[in-house]
């Protein structure tokens, strides 16, 4: 099969992202990358210097196109920040049922595999910091809206949500069922006191 023709850096990185999500850094051979991107070995090396360079560039693109966009939609722009946190979790697995297994999140997959490609470490850190910052933003707004307890430690809770979310993504990749993933999501929301502030407020209003 001949190489497909791919034009432009954006298209090349999109093809590389897709391949690395499915195969990982170690599992994607140079021949696989040539087939996926439509570029000859010389062109790939001139543009990215090495397989590691292409991987790091693909991870940067994934952070910009996928991670930052999901954080914006679900965590920063959501009118109801608690609902946004829930949808951020559930959107990782409530995406329909397909015939192919979910390839998982490139950021999470890379975090697990990062010891094999040190060049990707800065990209992993940036992506995780983006998610944690998004959680912090949503938690701060939720607390100010009295949707969460007023004494909630935003920094600690954001770190906990990040850890829970990354664990959930690993389970998504392993094929864990949606019902169990929803239970994990409910537990994540319970850990930040979601619903407690609303219940307390309702009780106070009833006593007036």
């Amino acid at each position: 099969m001949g190489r497909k023709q791919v034009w432009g850096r954006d298209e090349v990185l999109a093809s590389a992202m897709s391949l690395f999500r499915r195969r990982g850094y170690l599992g994607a051979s140079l021949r696989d990358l040539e087939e996926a991107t439509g570029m000859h070995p010389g062109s790939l090396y001139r543009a990215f210097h090495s397989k590691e360079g292409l991987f790091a560039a693909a991870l940067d693109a994934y952070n910009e196109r996928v991670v930052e966009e999901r954080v914006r939609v679900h965590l920063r722009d959501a009118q109801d920040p608690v609902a946004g946190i829930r949808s951020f979790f559930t959107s990782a697995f409530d995406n329909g049922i397909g015939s192919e297994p979910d390839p998982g999140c490139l950021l999470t997959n890379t975090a697990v595999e990062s010891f094999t490609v040190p060049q990707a470490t800065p990209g992993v850190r940036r992506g995780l910091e983006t998610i944690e910052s998004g959680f912090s933003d949503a938690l701060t707004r939720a607390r100010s809206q009295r949707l969460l307890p007023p004494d909630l430690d935003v920094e600690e809770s954001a770190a906990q949500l990040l850890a829970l979310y990354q664990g959930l993504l690993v389970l998504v990749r392993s094929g864990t069922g949606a019902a169990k993933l929803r239970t994990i999501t409910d537990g994540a929301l319970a850990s930040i006191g979601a619903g407690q502030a609303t219940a307390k407020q309702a009780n106070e209003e009833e006593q007036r």
Side-chain angles (χ1 to χ4, degrees):
M1 180 185 295
R3 296 186 184 92
K4 65 178 182 180
Q5 190 67 49
V6 175
W7 301 98
R9 183 181 178 89
D10 287 348
E11 291 81 4
V12 167
L13 290 176
S15 296
M17 278 192 296
S18 178
L19 178 64
F20 284 130
R21 280 186 72 193
R22 298 192 312 273
R23 303 262 183 100
Y25 172 76
L26 292 177
S29 69
L30 284 175
R31 183 172 181 81
D32 292 332
L33 289 165
E34 294 164 25
E35 291 286 349
T37 63
M39 296 180 72
H40 292 278
S43 299
L44 280 173
Y45 273 83
R46 280 192 296 273
F48 301 101
H49 308 294
S50 64
K51 177 185 174 182
E52 293 89 344
L54 175 56
F55 187 80
L59 181 58
D60 285 342
Y62 185 83
N63 279 333
E64 293 171 5
R65 302 177 194 180
V66 179
V67 176
E68 291 179 11
E69 179 64 9
R70 294 192 69 246
V71 166
R72 182 189 67 77
V73 169
H74 296 283
L75 301 178
R76 299 198 189 281
D77 290 353
Q79 291 187 347
D80 181 335
V82 172
I85 292 172
R86 176 181 288 279
S87 68
F88 188 77
F89 273 77
T90 59
S91 63
F93 57 86
D94 274 346
N95 52 5
I97 300 175
S99 58
E100 296 295 328
D102 192 305
C105 168
L106 180 59
L107 177 63
T108 304
N109 297 348
T110 304
V112 174
E113 195 184 23
S114 60
F115 68 93
T116 64
V117 53
Q119 292 91 331
T121 299
V124 170
R125 289 175 178 164
R126 281 195 298 273
L128 295 178
E129 287 169 359
T130 295
I131 297 172
E132 187 171 1
S133 174
F135 281 136
S136 293
D137 182 78
L139 291 168
T140 298
R141 290 189 297 113
R143 189 176 62 180
S144 69
Q145 295 174 25
R146 302 179 67 184
L147 298 172
L148 295 176
D151 58 350
L152 179 76
D153 187 321
V154 167
E155 183 176 348
E156 179 180 316
S157 296
Q160 290 174 346
L161 287 177
L162 174 65
L164 288 168
Y165 180 68
Q166 291 305 308
L168 179 137
L169 290 177
V170 172
L171 293 176
V172 169
R173 180 67 187 269
S174 70
T176 300
K180 185 171 185 177
L181 297 173
R182 290 192 189 94
T183 298
I184 293 169
T185 298
D186 291 341
L189 291 170
S191 74
I192 59 175
Q196 292 181 16
T198 302
K200 182 179 179 181
Q201 182 179 355
N203 289 334
E204 289 174 349
E205 291 175 351
E206 288 177 359
Q207 293 172 5
R208 289 173 187 169

